[in-house]
Amino acid sequence: MSDKRPQVSFSNELGLRIMAESTTPAPISSSENALAVRRYLNELHDRITTAAERVETAKFRRDSWQRPEGGGGETRILCEGSVFERAGVSFSHVFGAKMPQSASNVRPEMADAPFEAMGLSLVFHPRNPYVPTTHCNVRFLVATPPNGPAHWWFGGGFDLTPYYPFDHDVLHWHRTARAACELFGPGVYGKYKEWCDRYFFLPHRNETRGVGGLFFDDFNENGFAHSFSFMRSVGDHFLPAYMPILERRMLEPWGERERNFQLYRRGRYVEFNLVCDRGTLFGLQSRGRTESILMSLPPLARWDYDWHPEPETPEARLYEQFLRPRDYLAEL
């Protein structure tokens, strides 16, 4: 007689058929819709890597990895380039027996549920202080509580962290973010722009991380096709939002003053990622690959005790005009 426990089947409108032991879930990636998400994320991975290498002399190192608890991914990392001091673009597809606490805290009904997550995440830390740091993430999650149907949702967004902001660049960034949302309703850009301002906020500093962009989560409106289309639109608008800014500013002359300010402000980036960011917590709590999770950190940063910019300087302008929520499209 076999001592294996009986298998339990769960299904939902995605057509997902999840056959799982009570201790180890099987992946949902054989479903048609989940495969479509994975194909899109892999294609976006290639597209963004190619665009970054087009302006660089260095190339990405490609690092495939497996997660013992289930799943894996590929991290592409570029270090010490002529344009990017560090650039990381990572795809992951992981699954496990228990939803991490950082996700289940906001979904108590999903606590202890088997889960599967796939996503693409990137952070670019340019060498030139006049080029902003940027981040983008798009993701898809499914949780299958033992006594209920599977639940799925999308999340993601992109945000911009300039050191020396240019009004033209900030306007371009937010106009492109608005364009990503236009086909999905008149209030969508405003809703997810405001959510981005709330999310990328350092409460211990009382300042935003940068000038924002878009952030959305728990998105499953109007069925799978609509939700997937919105996630793709956000992903597809990242390069048109960022690359023109990069190409305009990458040859700006800079010196020690600008470099020191860039390193100081990078310290805020480190603080947010290690203290506030749910994505970092999700990766660590799900026992993801630590090197890939922490690729978002800059290679160098600095902290100066009780430092404040001199009045009427470009550094002061960042603090006075940009490190708070603003309606940039109306005010600039």
Side-chain angles (χ1 to χ4, degrees), residues 66-326:
Q66 295 296 316
R67 177 175 172 272
E69 291 84 353
E74 183 182 81
T75 298
R76 300 178 185 175
I77 188 80
L78 186 156
C79 299
E80 297 301 327
S82 57
V83 174
F84 298 109
E85 197 168 358
R86 174 177 291 169
V89 192
S90 184
F91 167 79
S92 63
H93 180 188
V94 301
F95 52 93
K98 184 177 179 180
M99 178 73 75
Q101 183 181 358
S102 58
S104 60
N105 275 349
V106 295
R107 303 175 190 84
E109 72 280 8
M110 296 292 107
D112 299 327
F115 76 96
E116 185 161 4
M118 64 180 83
L120 180 80
S121 184
L122 71 87
V123 176
F124 290 167
H125 290 289
R127 185 173 296 280
N128 191 319
Y130 287 102
V131 181
T133 289
T134 192
H135 157 262
C136 176
N137 171 268
V138 282
R139 57 191 179 271
F140 175 59
L141 292 93
V142 178
T144 57
N147 299 311
H151 296 266
W152 59 268
W153 65 93
F154 290 93
F158 50 67
D159 66 288
L160 193 71
T161 305
Y163 308 99
Y164 292 94
F166 294 84
D167 289 0
H168 179 71
D169 295 346
V170 176
L171 277 171
H172 168 78
W173 180 259
H174 279 279
R175 284 169 178 162
T176 311
R178 181 177 60 187
C181 303
E182 281 180 336
L183 295 179
F184 301 91
V188 172
Y189 162 74
K191 176 181 178 180
Y192 295 129
K193 187 267 183 194
E194 181 183 352
W195 198 347
C196 187
D197 290 337
R198 294 197 312 269
Y199 184 82
F200 292 104
F201 185 80
L202 288 79
H204 60 285
R205 298 288 191 180
N206 194 32
E207 62 187 41
T208 57
R209 186 167 80 171
V211 299
L214 298 171
F215 179 88
F216 67 101
D217 203 1
D218 305 298
F219 190 86
N220 56 7
E221 296 179 4
N222 301 318
F224 176 82
H226 176 90
S227 299
F228 184 26
S229 180
F230 179 68
M231 187 269 271
R232 291 199 310 271
S233 185
V234 172
D236 291 345
H237 279 80
F238 169 73
L239 287 174
Y242 185 67
M243 294 305 290
I245 298 172
L246 170 70
E247 292 167 359
R248 271 197 298 270
R249 307 301 171 196
M250 57 190 265
L251 299 180
E252 291 275 351
W254 55 276
E256 183 179 3
R257 171 180 174 157
E258 290 83 3
R259 175 60 166 173
N260 285 338
F261 186 61
Q262 178 196 51
L263 294 179
Y264 178 74
R265 290 301 308 173
R266 280 181 177 179
R268 297 292 205 270
Y269 212 90
V270 173
E271 291 175 22
F272 179 86
N273 282 23
L274 296 183
V275 175
C276 306
D277 186 46
R278 270 176 40 206
T280 301
L281 291 174
F282 181 92
L284 295 174
Q285 291 173 356
S286 64
R287 298 178 60 84
R289 185 170 183 266
T290 302
E291 288 298 313
S292 299
I293 296 163
L294 298 183
M295 74 170 191
S296 62
L297 299 179
L300 295 172
R302 64 183 288 170
W303 283 261
D304 295 322
Y305 182 77
D306 199 27
W307 183 86
H308 300 278
E310 293 292 328
E312 300 181 0
T313 62
E315 293 80 11
R317 182 172 180 264
L318 173 69
Y319 284 78
E320 294 165 358
Q321 299 185 27
F322 293 95
L323 298 184
R324 55 185 172 84
R326 290 181 60 186

Side-chain angles (χ1 to χ4, degrees), residues 28-93:
I28 59 162
S29 49
S30 60
S31 79
E32 181 179 345
N33 287 322
L35 286 172
V37 175
R38 178 164 180 145
R39 281 194 300 269
Y40 170 75
L41 294 174
N42 289 155
E43 184 274 330
L44 185 63
H45 201 188
D46 290 339
R47 201 187 331 157
I48 291 173
T49 302
T50 299
E53 288 186 335
R54 193 173 291 129
V55 299
E56 256 293 355
T57 56
K59 299 296 183 183
F60 282 89
R61 168 189 169 187
R62 303 188 179 211
D63 187 10
S64 296
W65 51 273
Q66 295 296 316
R67 177 175 172 272
E69 291 84 353
E74 183 182 81
T75 298
R76 300 178 185 175
I77 188 80
L78 186 156
C79 299
E80 297 301 327
S82 57
V83 174
F84 298 109
E85 197 168 358
R86 174 177 291 169
V89 192
S90 184
F91 167 79
S92 63
H93 180 188

